[in-house]
Amino acid sequence: MADQFDSALDLLRRLNPAHTSKNLSAICSLIPAEEENLLASVDQPLSVRRCKKSGRDYLLCDYNRDGDSYRSPWSNEFDPPVEDAELSSERVRKMEVRANEAFDVYRELYYEGGTSSVYFWDLDDGFAGVVLLKKNSSSTAARGTSGAWDSIHVLEVVEGGRTSKYKLTSTVILNLGSSGEALGQLDLSGNMTRQVEQDLPVDGDEGHVVNVGKMVEDMELKMRNLLQEVYFGKAKDVVGDLRSIPALSESNRDKATHREMINSMSGMKV
Amino acid sequence: MIPFKYQEFYTHATFPYRHGIKNLRVFGTAMPSKTETVASFVEAAPPGEVSRPPLLSCRDAPDIKSLTYDDSQILQSLQPAFKKYNEEQFTTVKLPGSTETVIVSSFNELGDGRYFDSANQSSFEFDHTTQKASSVQPHTLDSQHAELIISLLESLSTHAAEHFPASSIGVYPTENDSAIALVIVANKYSPNNFWNGRWRSVYIFTPSSSTVAGSIKVDVHYYEDGNVRLLTEKPVQISGVDDRAQEIVKQIARVEKKYQEDLNKAFSNLSEGAFKGLRRQLPVTRQKVEWEKIGGYRLGQDIGGGRSR
């Protein structure tokens, strides 16, 4: 039922985002028929698995899952193996390999650590993909604070003649925490989603990786600024709106004095 | 106002593989009952939104009704959850014919759905699902600390007016009249800007030990194209507090000020600490990635991340 699905998303948008996985499980137990849809639609922090063949880490999501197995972008193999696995076409896999190499560089340049994975698959009139980036920071490293960043960029590419249409939906899950004697407990967690569509000229399959790379890079820059604004600007402002450190009678008096001054100055001009 | 809809963002999510999940990941070992599950949603509801007071109240809970197939028995069985939510969140209510708000909490509960207010010397019936008060009756404050409570109401009210643009306060005898509970709640709802916030302070003054113990909690919810939540909890412990109302409130004011300053510091620590350490704004080179020459980075620089270490 579509309205149950909508209700579930609506509810998840209001419940504590730090517990999305737990709440999602609970909702699925209420409406098991929507489970697959919900798991596919709700972004959760990514899990990491070690690729048995290459020894490299990769990220798990619904886009590299088949049944209970996950495909490694490094080996192109499912773990545990899937007998009748459907793999991407040779052409799309080739782009996927290139994109994984490119985003591995991107990850090192921006995240200086963490894990990245890119998955591409065929569509009738193009291809689709997901670019995943994850990093956790421990509390010892950063002033008694801890954090986790998960980027999930879902893209769809409709191939045309000289240009292709790129549709990108990006979610960043950012969970931060701090605790201490003076502060007590502080948890600042959440997720934000943004979408962008662009028609871009493409020069061969390498051009697709370049275009996707640029779009994801621009989107992450935009979202990082947005997160900074909401987490450290907005949230702090709301606390200040709830309670004022200076006495309100004083700040009201200051405002009145200020107003009087402006009035008398404008009076002088006239 | 139609806020952001998730589903629009997922219309293009076609999936590469077709096999369903065999081992359901979602069910833990001990599955809670339907009521327990929904009750957990009620208790975790964010600070209220004006258009949907407070999100999950029985009368106005489209999400829960939909998820539980509009099961009226479920809504009935949620009564304890609504009560718990209102008492823990210090839900405020206007008494009939009054413009001032009073608090609902475990400290001023009389039983049988009734609560009292020491400032108005009245008691009222509170409907936890509609959050409405009715049948107001006179209520005499029956406490050995009645005099102190009246002075505390005055001092706390002055303090609240000086620091909270909009708040409600309450002072009640508690712990079998051996202690006094001081409660402050401040709400600010701005649904047009997609955020709501709540500040809750509770302080228990025990005259026999001259101590104040309690907590300060802040809850901020931001939900424009996303869901961001700030939840804080600061335990409060003050000793050597003598039993004069002004002195008690002065100590409380000092602790609150200090906490708010520490909280502001915590925001910049998180921004400069954990947040900065997760993702750079630009690479060390201060230039965006040259995607056309991405292979060159690998050759030119020793980048070896993502491998097992």
Side-chain angles (χ1 to χ4, degrees):
Chain A
M1 260 168 76
D3 58 336
Q4 287 197 326
F5 178 74
D6 292 352
S7 293
L9 294 180
D10 207 25
L11 196 55
L12 284 168
R13 196 156 65 83
R14 284 148 213 277
L15 295 173
N16 187 353
H19 303 146
T20 296
S21 300
K22 196 186 97 205
N23 291 326
L24 183 60
S25 298
I27 290 173
C28 289
S29 74
L30 292 176
I31 47 168
E34 294 291 337
E35 183 186 0
E36 292 260 352
N37 271 340
L38 285 168
L39 287 174
S41 307
V42 178
D43 294 312
Q44 302 179 64
L46 303 157
S47 327
V48 184
R49 189 179 281 189
R50 177 76 38 94
C51 172
K52 286 183 180 137
K53 202 156 188 182
S54 67
R56 298 180 72 174
D57 287 344
Y58 64 99
L59 298 167
L60 314 186
C61 69
D62 244 48
Y63 298 97
N64 65 327
R65 178 180 66 79
D66 191 354
D68 300 324
S69 301
Y70 290 90
R71 182 170 66 92
S72 158
W74 314 120
S75 67
N76 201 27
E77 286 176 11
F78 280 96
D79 176 26
V82 175
E83 263 180 39
D84 53 344
E86 290 171 65
L87 293 171
S88 309
S89 65
E90 206 177 309
R91 175 189 166 233
V92 165
R93 170 61 186 160
K94 217 171 154 184
M95 282 196 284
E96 183 185 82
V97 169
R98 199 177 283 275
N100 271 292
E101 284 167 4
F103 275 99
D104 196 33
V105 175
Y106 173 88
R107 177 197 52 69
E108 194 55 39
L109 289 171
Y110 279 99
Y111 292 83
E112 300 175 328
T115 313
S116 65
S117 294
V118 183
Y119 303 102
F120 283 175
W121 61 95
D122 296 80
L123 295 180
D124 288 343
D125 48 3
F127 66 97
V130 61
V131 177
L132 308 172
L133 292 143
K134 181 186 184 71
K135 188 175 174 195
N136 292 345
S137 78
S138 63
S139 62
T140 45
R143 304 183 182 199
T145 61
S146 62
W149 174 299
D150 292 86
S151 284
I152 300 160
H153 303 277
V154 181
L155 58 110
E156 188 188 72
V157 183
V158 179
E159 302 192 81
R162 243 166 274 148
T163 63
S164 288
K165 186 185 273 301
Y166 297 80
K167 195 168 162 185
L168 178 69
T169 305
S170 300
T171 298
V172 176
I173 304 169
L174 175 63
N175 293 347
L176 300 170
S178 190
S179 63
E181 182 74 27
L183 181 68
Q185 283 291 330
L186 182 154
D187 183 69
L188 184 51
S189 297
N191 52 71
M192 305 202 82
T193 298
R194 287 294 183 273
Q195 196 166 51
V196 68
E197 241 183 84
Q198 271 183 304
D199 288 300
L200 296 169
V202 201
D203 187 14
D205 285 351
E206 286 174 36
H208 279 306
V209 176
V210 169
N211 287 342
V212 168
K214 285 181 176 169
M215 276 182 86
V216 167
E217 185 178 24
D218 286 346
M219 182 65 113
E220 287 210 334
L221 179 64
K222 202 172 98 183
M223 292 191 77
R224 189 185 182 281
N225 290 339
L226 183 71
L227 290 163
Q228 172 123 35
E229 198 185 303
V230 169
Y231 278 58
F232 310 113
K234 194 80 230 169
K236 190 178 163 186
D237 288 350
V238 175
V239 178
D241 283 346
L242 289 168
R243 190 184 186 281
S244 160
I245 295 181
L248 289 166
S249 59
E250 270 172 43
S251 50
N252 287 343
R253 204 162 42 233
D254 289 349
K255 271 182 212 153
T257 315
H258 186 69
R259 215 170 22 242
E260 253 170 53
M261 220 165 74
I262 287 174
N263 286 346
S264 64
M265 278 166 74
S266 58
M268 277 174 359
K269 272 185 208 153
V270 174
Chain B
M1 178 197 65
I2 297 171
F4 162 87
K5 287 246 182 246
Y6 265 110
Q7 53 271 30
E8 287 165 20
F9 285 98
Y10 293 96
T11 48
H12 65 293
T14 39
F15 284 85
Y17 315 117
R18 276 191 294 274
H19 295 117
I21 303 162
K22 287 158 212 148
N23 302 330
L24 289 184
R25 285 174 288 173
V26 297
F27 299 120
T29 41
M31 214 169 76
S33 76
K34 207 180 194 184
T35 304
E36 280 170 335
T37 300
V38 184
S40 75
F41 299 155
V42 173
E43 284 155 25
E49 295 157 36
V50 173
S51 56
R52 313 155 52 99
L55 164 69
L56 299 166
S57 82
C58 211
R59 192 177 38 129
D60 193 11
D63 298 333
I64 283 188
K65 278 185 184 167
S66 165
L67 291 183
T68 55
Y69 302 92
D70 208 356
D71 185 338
S72 60
Q73 280 194 322
I74 274 276
L75 293 176
Q76 205 52 46
S77 64
L78 286 175
Q79 288 302 315
F82 291 126
K83 180 171 186 278
K84 190 174 170 201
Y85 176 88
N86 288 323
E87 290 184 350
E88 277 184 358
Q89 298 296 324
F90 304 141
T91 294
T92 55
V93 62
K94 276 188 183 133
L95 297 185
S98 168
T99 50
E100 271 177 62
T101 54
V102 298
I103 289 175
V104 171
S105 76
S106 60
F107 302 113
N108 58 330
E109 190 195 7
L110 292 169
D112 289 331
R114 293 192 71 84
Y115 295 81
F116 71 91
D117 180 57
S118 2
N120 292 316
Q121 302 266 342
S122 56
S123 76
F124 57 93
E125 193 176 312
F126 185 73
D127 184 328
H128 287 283
T129 60
T130 61
Q131 296 191 323
K132 290 251 157 64
S134 62
S135 41
V136 181
Q137 286 167 11
H139 178 87
T140 313
L141 191 59
D142 180 21
S143 164
Q144 56 164 329
H145 306 297
E147 216 169 292
L148 182 55
I149 288 173
I150 301 299
S151 331
L152 278 170
L153 275 166
E154 203 183 306
S155 299
L156 191 64
S157 153
T158 309
H159 162 70
E162 276 293 40
H163 295 282
F164 297 90
S167 67
S168 302
I169 61 151
V171 181
Y172 319 101
T174 186
E175 289 165 23
N176 295 319
D177 204 27
S178 68
I180 301 167
L182 296 89
V183 179
I184 304 173
V185 61
N187 293 306
K188 186 145 190 208
Y189 303 146
S190 191
N192 291 334
N193 299 309
F194 303 99
W195 63 257
N196 293 319
R198 177 170 297 151
W199 175 297
R200 281 176 290 162
S201 294
V202 56
Y203 309 101
I204 311 289
F205 172 65
T206 308
S208 61
S209 61
S210 309
T211 55
V212 171
S215 68
I216 303 173
K217 293 178 185 174
V218 179
D219 187 343
V220 174
H221 184 216
Y222 178 83
Y223 51 100
E224 184 176 18
D225 292 358
N227 178 5
V228 178
R229 187 89 172 258
L230 167 74
L231 283 166
T232 77
E233 179 166 1
K234 157 78 181 165
V236 172
Q237 192 73 48
I238 321 168
S239 52
V241 188
D242 74 40
D243 62 355
R244 286 177 303 126
Q246 281 190 338
E247 177 62 21
I248 296 166
V249 173
K250 198 173 140 194
Q251 296 287 349
I252 285 170
R254 184 181 55 82
V255 166
E256 277 188 359
K257 179 172 190 275
K258 172 79 168 50
Y259 176 61
Q260 198 171 359
E261 286 166 353
D262 287 337
L263 191 54
N264 283 343
K265 245 179 269 163
F267 279 112
S268 49
N269 274 342
L270 276 173
S271 173
E272 294 302 309
F275 183 63
K276 230 177 192 174
L278 287 171
R279 188 192 182 280
R280 303 180 62 92
Q281 192 169 23
L282 278 173
V284 186
T285 56
R286 297 188 160 274
Q287 277 164 10
K288 283 193 175 181
V289 172
E290 289 187 72
W291 290 92
E292 289 85 354
K293 300 177 190 161
I294 194 91
Y297 284 90
R298 191 164 280 282
L299 295 172
Q301 299 171 24
D302 185 26
I303 297 166
R307 291 183 173 80
S308 57
R309 268 154 237 163

